[in-house]
Amino acid sequence: MPEADATPPAAPLPVPVPPRPLSRIQNRLLALPVFLAGSTVLGLAAWMDPDARGMGTHQQLGLPPCSFEQVTGFPCATCGCTTSFAHAAEGSLLTSFITQPFGAVLAVMTAMAVLISGYALVSNMPFAPVIYFVGRGKVIAGFIVFMMLAWGYNILRHMG
């Protein structure tokens, strides 16, 4: 007759306790900076004229040219993002995407963040789940991979 297994049963996993819902004030304090930052970025993008070279639009803000591009001769990972935002703010989404795919997606997501956070401010829709979703590791990893792919595209476009 085989011996009985002598290992004790595993302890049950703890049940996660859902977080306490935020108060109306806390919810709005969470949405307000997202709304203000996104609105400011989109407002500046709408104010700027996209540079015909596809990069360098940020210099209209008094910022220096890209030092990575000056040293290496190749665009950095975010070269063209400001120009892409400016095209998107004009409503030229295809030109925005051709200029810098990562910048175009980021511009659309910024607009979505402004709309969602603005709605949360007005309606008191819970905003914490939105922050939680965007801050997840898989979402951030996806952004990084997409940024690297867009950088490769930008380098190839710069070479051609």
Side-chain angles (χ1 to χ4, degrees):
M1 181 170 213
E3 291 185 29
D5 190 9
T7 59
L13 295 173
V15 177
V17 177
R20 178 177 59 81
L22 298 177
S23 71
R24 288 179 178 215
I25 301 274
Q26 290 171 321
N27 189 59
R28 288 187 169 115
L29 286 175
L30 188 61
L32 184 62
V34 174
F35 180 79
L36 292 175
S39 297
T40 301
V41 167
L42 292 176
L44 285 171
W47 171 75
M48 290 187 273
D49 293 319
D51 194 299
R53 298 174 297 148
M55 53 192 245
T57 302
H58 68 280
Q59 292 176 271
Q60 295 174 32
L61 298 172
L63 298 170
C66 176
S67 56
F68 184 89
E69 197 259 341
Q70 287 183 325
V71 170
T72 66
F74 293 102
C76 75
T78 60
C79 270
C81 278
T82 307
T83 306
S84 184
F85 262 77
H87 282 301
E90 289 180 343
S92 304
L93 293 180
L94 181 59
T95 304
S96 174
F97 192 82
I98 291 168
T99 300
Q100 196 351 329
F102 181 69
V105 169
L106 208 53
V108 169
M109 293 191 71
T110 301
M112 288 172 51
V114 168
L115 291 173
I116 293 169
S117 61
Y119 182 75
L121 284 169
V122 172
S123 71
N124 202 40
M125 171 194 84
F127 194 67
V130 176
I131 298 291
Y132 172 76
F133 174 78
V134 173
R136 290 178 41 196
K138 290 180 182 179
V139 174
I140 293 171
F143 277 131
I144 292 170
V145 167
F146 184 60
M147 184 174 80
M148 294 295 111
L149 290 171
W151 188 16
Y153 162 81
N154 224 7
I155 290 172
L156 290 174
R157 197 172 67 103
H158 185 78
M159 293 170 59

